[in-house]
Amino acid sequence: YCGVLTNIGLAHLEGFGDIETVRRTKLELLDYVKVAVVNADDVFMMEGIKASGFKGKICRYGIKNTAEVYATDIRLHERGSSFRLHTGAQGFVEMHPKISGMFNIYNILAAASAGSLLNIKLPDIKQAIDSFEGVPMRLELKELNGVTVISDVYNANPASMEEAVKELVRIKKGRAIAVLGDMLELGPYAGEAHRRIGRLLKELGIDIFIAVGPLMELAASEFQGVSYTSRASAEAGELLKDIRKQGDSVLIKGSRGMNMEKVLEG
């Protein structure tokens, strides 16, 4: 009945080959649904949907572009956020989700769109979303010995890595330390994707970069700041122990195959 398309980014390119194939494959969902919930702010995806000739109903959600479900008055907090959720016929409601980050507001809009289409009442949508605590290994915020840690170790691709780094910068009070592992399955795009992360870290003023894996060494070469390299996550954890001090904010992120959860073990 209803399918949800959140975004199209550089992920799993080792198998798909290029971003056009990723888009074409994701849009195959449209062949099996009558209603599509789509991110109006993903221009590349919206262009593909228009070209596909999809004849079903489209429910758009977004923040920047015209959409049936959208957010206004957004305020990002150290933990969680608050915003006004608009759903067309049902009006709007004030939201106070516990999960953090602008990208999670997009995820909430997608969920609210699907719920609204299934005739779930707005107060029930609010209650479900505001009570959601998040899931393990995805943007978990922890306090360890006076250090704020963002543990986002489930997986990584260029888009999610960029959002996580921005979240680190947003919440930091003292030094910002990025402990980043290789982003896998990017095929021929891998080198440049990692170099771009290094340039982003430099642009956003990250104080210390611990690069984990041979691909992240490419990012470190672009960073040009205080950086350390390691081949394994456990080794990076030992480096972090020596470097961190009270008041620091730390992001730990990488692809699942990099086992980045080991950074905080021991």
Side-chain angles (χ1 to χ4, degrees):
Y1 171 71
C2 179
V4 180
L5 292 163
T6 55
N7 55 64
I8 295 172
L10 297 173
H12 309 299
L13 290 171
E14 196 167 65
F16 287 104
D18 57 51
I19 191 67
E20 291 284 352
T21 305
V22 172
R23 178 172 68 176
R24 185 170 63 252
T25 304
K26 284 196 172 186
L27 293 185
E28 287 177 0
L29 175 68
L30 300 176
D31 296 335
Y32 303 95
V33 299
K34 295 181 179 179
V35 181
V37 173
V38 300
N39 181 352
D41 292 347
D42 187 326
V43 175
F44 183 64
M45 183 173 70
M46 295 303 294
E47 288 173 348
I49 293 170
K50 183 177 180 180
S52 74
F54 178 61
K55 301 301 183 183
K57 178 179 179 180
I58 292 178
C59 176
R60 299 167 297 176
Y61 67 88
I63 297 171
K64 302 171 186 175
N65 295 327
T66 301
E68 287 73 39
V69 177
Y70 58 98
T72 62
D73 304 300
I74 296 170
R75 297 176 295 281
L76 299 176
H77 311 306
E78 181 175 345
R79 292 177 184 266
S81 65
S82 55
F83 63 94
R84 182 169 287 182
L85 168 67
H86 301 259
T87 60
Q90 291 200 57
F92 67 86
V93 67
E94 300 291 340
M95 303 293 293
H96 303 282
K98 296 181 177 67
I99 52 177
S100 299
M102 182 65 77
F103 66 95
N104 267 326
I105 294 180
Y106 277 99
N107 291 334
I108 289 167
L109 291 175
S113 299
S116 183
L117 287 168
L118 295 171
N119 298 315
I120 298 174
K121 299 301 183 185
L122 200 50
D124 295 327
I125 292 174
K126 171 181 169 59
Q127 193 280 328
I129 291 172
D130 284 0
S131 63
F132 179 59
E133 300 279 356
V135 296
M137 304 175 75
R138 290 187 183 272
L139 211 77
E140 293 181 282
L141 204 60
K142 306 178 179 182
E143 293 290 334
L144 300 174
N145 302 316
V147 176
T148 301
V149 177
I150 302 173
S151 177
D152 192 16
V153 298
Y154 183 77
N155 213 342
N157 59 50
S160 68
M161 188 71 81
E162 180 176 338
E163 291 299 325
V165 172
K166 289 178 179 178
E167 188 67 7
L168 169 64
V169 172
R170 190 184 69 80
I171 71 163
K172 75 164 190 162
K173 295 183 175 66
R175 299 183 303 173
I177 303 174
V179 186
L180 307 181
D182 286 353
M183 300 178 290
L184 305 177
E185 300 181 19
L186 293 179
Y189 293 84
E192 178 55 24
H194 284 81
R195 291 186 180 94
R196 285 181 62 185
I197 292 299
R199 294 193 289 270
L200 177 69
L201 297 179
K202 178 182 178 182
E203 177 187 330
L204 295 180
I206 298 300
D207 296 290
I208 300 173
F209 176 28
I210 300 177
V212 186
L215 289 169
M216 274 301 168
E217 286 186 18
L218 298 175
S221 69
E222 296 282 346
F223 176 55
Q224 299 178 354
V226 178
S227 63
Y228 304 83
T229 58
S230 64
R231 287 284 167 164
S233 52
E235 179 187 343
E238 294 301 319
L239 279 169
L240 181 61
K241 282 183 185 177
D242 294 337
I243 294 166
R244 72 188 186 195
K245 61 184 181 182
Q246 284 200 351
D248 287 344
S249 296
V250 178
L251 167 65
I252 303 170
K253 186 169 178 64
S255 281
R256 185 83 294 275
M258 297 302 294
N259 300 306
M260 294 301 288
E261 66 274 11
K262 293 183 178 179
V263 173
L264 293 179
E265 293 180 359

